[in-house]
Amino acid sequence: MQLHWHRRDLRVADNRGLAAAAEAGPVAPLFVFDRDVLDHAGAPRVRYLLDALAELREAYRERGSDLLVARGDPRTVVPAVAAALDAERAVWGIDYSGLARERDADVRLALDDAGVAREPVHDAIFHPPGSITTNAGDTYSVYTYFWKKWRDRDKPDPYPEPDADDLADAAALETAAECLSDADFDIAVGDLPTISDLGFEEPTAAVQSAGTEAARERLSAFCADAIYRYADDRDYPTRDATSRLSTDLKFGTIGIREVYAATAAAREGVGGERDESVEEFQSQLAWREFYAHVLREHPNVVTENYKEYENDIAWRDDSEELAAWKEGKTGYPIVDAGMRQLREETYMHNRVRMIVASFLTKDLLCDWRHGYAHFREHLADHDTANDNGGWQWAASTGTDAQPYFRIFNPMTQGERYDPDGEYIKRYIPELSDVTANTIHEWHDLTDLERERLAPDYPEPIVDHSERRERAISMFEAARGDD
């Protein structure tokens, strides 16, 4: 018997760990609700997780098996389940956060003590940390050089999915669960908790459909059209030029090899701008791996600046301004539209993520950690490595970061990437009757003009030009400049 511990690989297709276990089969699949992980979760992610697990469970049931579902500490659960199954080996996909690494080290020791072999595998990314380095053997801190090597490395094909003969039958799983009825953790076959059981309220925002089939539909639609417009249109939030696969990749409801294979197929036989556009999307897959490598090498970046300054950055951290940013009431339309999209859809367009992050850190002079925590709570696709990398880039504290003196002008960004105000009006109904030109000049209007045009929409809470100068001075002081 083989045990496969599902974590961020909630699928049966293109699952490297599951395929490795199936080679020696039969495989008993397990998922553990880990309290330490849930403590850092938000309701949208838990909702997506439960929906994805429901589909995963059905995939196993269609093959005559089922999913063991436990609630407890994996350090105890995994070796106990392995013992109850008389498993020879436990297999799982490697995660790169500090929390996961510490937990997994303890699980490995517990399995060693129990005499169970273990095989952690790299599944979520193509090229594991340590495989793409500088000539000196260091982890890259500049994406461009990482990308050139990533792009030229061979990419393996998707792994085969197991059939019924590769899996433990449901009866064997029931027997194992019964053997653990007196354990100090809860375990059952196919019995998923409710979101309230896990301590969360049902999100009021819409969470996109979960599972492999939904992810494949998104991938197919993207590769049929938008991928060829990606390079030109991806920064415009109303042009529907993004894949919307970020949540699927975060939870592993679709494999990275399957995604890349689809993009490679889309690239065959095309040339010129269409070919360049597909490669531009592939470069975004490389960004995921770049940040995963950084997190693996520097796990402290979750709470600390990657970039060291001579002095501490004197963040302003005004609580009222932070609250206005969270509520989408800053008086800067593109910023507020993004924050309201997040609240309504548990998602935000990537260009707008950069705009709102720049506004928080450079206009409000607020520590990036406040923004990171808010995104972690509300984004369905929150990924520790990606989100942290993005926030530290915007804050000029991370790898390959935006230079501290290059500060997004939120009005210029809105005019450039939402020229007709379509995105802004979609999420800010108070501005629905205001012309696009006037929306993009909102900061220049008089109080009387703003009151006449949109009395329920706030005036700008800060002056961008003044705050830009303060941000530059703040970073120069941190740098120790005279």
Side-chain angles (χ1 to χ4, degrees), residues 136-169:
D138 299 321
T139 298
Y140 275 108
S141 61
V142 177
Y143 168 76
T144 305
Y145 302 122
F146 177 92
W147 155 245
K148 289 178 180 177
K149 290 186 177 179
W150 186 96
R151 177 191 58 195
D152 295 338
R153 298 283 175 92
D154 290 336
K155 305 295 186 291
D157 294 330
Y159 288 90
E161 59 186 81
D163 57 30
D165 292 338
D166 297 321
L167 302 171
D169 61 47

Side-chain angles (χ1 to χ4, degrees), residues 305-352:
N305 295 335
Y306 175 90
K307 180 182 177 66
E308 293 184 2
Y309 285 91
E310 183 175 329
N311 303 310
D312 290 340
I313 301 173
W315 300 112
R316 189 167 181 270
D317 287 347
D318 182 281
S319 60
E320 292 184 1
E321 292 178 358
L322 176 60
W325 177 82
K326 290 180 178 180
E327 294 167 8
K329 296 180 179 180
T330 68
Y332 283 88
I334 192 69
V335 174
D336 294 339
M339 297 307 295
R340 296 186 193 190
Q341 182 185 24
L342 173 63
R343 185 176 63 209
E344 294 174 19
E345 300 177 9
T346 71
Y347 170 84
M348 189 190 301
H349 185 275
N350 188 60
R351 165 56 61 171
V352 186

Side-chain angles (χ1 to χ4, degrees), residues 130-206:
S131 65
I132 297 180
T133 63
T134 67
N135 292 336
D138 299 321
T139 298
Y140 275 108
S141 61
V142 177
Y143 168 76
T144 305
Y145 302 122
F146 177 92
W147 155 245
K148 289 178 180 177
K149 290 186 177 179
W150 186 96
R151 177 191 58 195
D152 295 338
R153 298 283 175 92
D154 290 336
K155 305 295 186 291
D157 294 330
Y159 288 90
E161 59 186 81
D163 57 30
D165 292 338
D166 297 321
L167 302 171
D169 61 47
L173 302 183
E174 290 284 1
T175 300
E178 291 172 3
C179 291
L180 295 168
S181 59
D182 294 330
D184 59 357
F185 55 85
D186 296 328
I187 187 166
V189 177
D191 187 10
L192 292 172
T194 66
I195 194 168
S196 60
D197 290 338
L198 298 174
F200 295 86
E201 294 183 0
E202 194 71 52
T204 56

